[in-house]
Amino acid sequence: MDVESTGVSDRSTKPATAARIYDYFLDGVHNFPADREAAARVVAMMPSAPAMAKANRAFLRRAVRHLAEAGVRQFLDLGSGMPTQGSVHEIVQEVAPESRVVYVDIDPIAVSESLDLIGDTGRVTAIQGDMRQPRAVLDHPVVLKTLDFDQPVALLLCAVLHFVPDDDQAYGLVDQFRDALAPGSYVLVSHGANEGADASVTSEEHSTIQKVYNQRTATPAGGRTREGVARFFGPAELVDPGIVWVTQWRPQPDDPTDFADDPRLSCVWAGVGRLP
Ligand SMILES: C[S@@+](CC[C@H](N)C(=O)[O-])C[C@H]1O[C@@H](n2cnc3c(N)ncnc32)[C@H](O)[C@@H]1O
């Protein structure tokens, strides 16, 4: 893939994207001046934003390891973001090297950087796609070549559905993806909360943070309640401990210690469900 076709050229003038703001919060190296400036505005309102991103990423690592250990060998990661240490394919292939992973992101730079990291393995790949167009993702030739939808697939929706604030669109798209999955498939969701659980952030500050994403990136953001997040699972049976604050989902000793005293301050709901 050449530089021009990926839009990687002239990085210093790139507008901010959600993928690269998040990468900055994770101490990543795949971010540009506009991303760092937007991130600084979020941090000014919500100083714990980088810790929230790290807590979310730690959940993703724990949950995909759990799924791999439960026997899942195929992963469709929507809104996969920039490649980072402890990527989904690295974790699941530690458990089962034959595992297949397709990363999907709307951000072309996230996709090209992911492809660089992955190399050409045949089992792991990345495509540019918009999850708001489920058919285009599900029918993508690379997706069809890599994943067998007659077998269980884990659908990963980690910190991405809050970038689809319209309820009809968000529930509709997840229904379409879920309907494409075989029995025994899994749905993983983490999602920004909006019940004002973060006592340190007022609702006015929450809306200012949303404005940063709405004005500076192509992906507006909005949180949901725990009940709102539960709707994404449809008929899936929730794996223990259900939908909980992100740090409470099967915590491990090597997790980041932020929010240990009050998990609500993570401001992120998380859960995993298995389709009957
Ligand atoms: C906060 S990052 C989460 C990355 C990763 N899933 C994780 O949890 O560590 C959100 C990602 O969703 C992507 N995204 C936002 N809207 C999207 C859409 N409609 N379709 C695909 N990706 C999208 C962004 O580009 C960004 O990379």
Side-chain angles (χ1 to χ4, degrees):
M1 193 177 287
D2 68 35
V3 163
E4 283 306 323
S5 70
T6 62
V8 177
S9 60
D10 199 13
R11 294 172 167 208
S12 61
T13 59
K14 288 271 168 223
T17 70
R20 298 194 298 264
I21 294 172
Y22 180 72
D23 178 69
Y24 178 75
F25 289 155
L26 292 180
D27 305 325
V29 294
H30 308 284
N31 49 76
F32 308 143
D35 307 307
R36 296 191 277 275
E37 199 210 316
R41 285 180 61 86
V42 173
V43 171
M45 291 293 157
M46 189 187 266
S48 53
M52 290 171 183
K54 287 172 184 144
N56 174 70
R57 193 73 202 180
F59 157 73
L60 177 62
R61 288 195 293 265
R62 297 195 299 278
V64 295
R65 179 172 296 281
H66 169 84
L67 293 174
E69 288 171 352
V72 182
R73 297 291 176 261
Q74 305 191 95
F75 296 80
L76 179 59
D77 187 353
L78 301 180
S80 47
M82 293 290 170
T84 181
Q85 283 249 303
S87 286
V88 169
H89 71 282
E90 292 168 344
I91 292 168
V92 300
Q93 289 189 338
E94 268 172 35
V95 178
E98 72 274 24
S99 300
R100 294 177 169 267
V101 180
V102 179
Y103 295 115
V104 181
D105 205 283
I106 200 169
D107 183 332
I109 297 183
V111 176
S112 65
E113 299 279 4
S114 297
L115 286 169
D116 280 353
L117 176 86
I118 295 161
D120 188 11
T121 70
R123 291 193 177 122
V124 184
T125 190
I127 61 163
Q128 187 182 357
D130 185 341
M131 67 179 180
R132 293 169 297 185
Q133 293 163 8
R135 251 344 330 148
V137 174
L138 289 164
D139 293 341
H140 193 291
V142 170
V143 173
L144 293 175
K145 193 174 148 207
T146 313
L147 302 178
D148 174 0
F149 284 91
D150 291 332
Q151 299 299 320
V153 171
L155 178 68
L156 310 183
L157 293 156
C158 200
V160 65
L161 287 166
H162 43 241
F163 294 113
V164 188
D166 181 87
D167 276 349
D168 288 344
Q169 195 173 35
Y171 294 118
L173 80 87
V174 176
D175 286 350
Q176 276 197 63
F177 278 108
R178 259 199 346 260
D179 288 351
L181 303 181
S185 292
Y186 284 84
V187 179
L188 174 157
V189 178
S190 71
H191 197 299
N194 79 349
E195 34 261 276
D198 183 347
S200 66
V201 179
T202 66
S203 56
E204 199 180 315
E205 285 167 335
H206 263 296
S207 58
T208 308
I209 291 162
Q210 287 177 14
K211 261 190 220 149
V212 174
Y213 283 94
N214 298 355
Q215 291 171 353
R216 290 169 183 249
T217 76
T219 48
R224 289 192 168 84
T225 62
R226 187 171 183 278
E227 286 66 35
V229 173
R231 279 181 61 187
F232 288 119
F233 290 94
E237 293 149 12
L238 288 168
V239 166
D240 268 356
I243 300 170
V244 291
W245 295 113
V246 73
T247 55
Q248 293 177 314
W249 200 93
R250 298 182 182 231
Q252 293 292 317
D254 59 350
D255 287 338
T257 53
D258 301 286
F259 315 119
D261 292 342
D262 189 349
R264 291 175 308 161
L265 301 183
S266 68
C267 246
V268 177
W269 292 116
V272 175
R274 183 178 185 277
L275 286 169

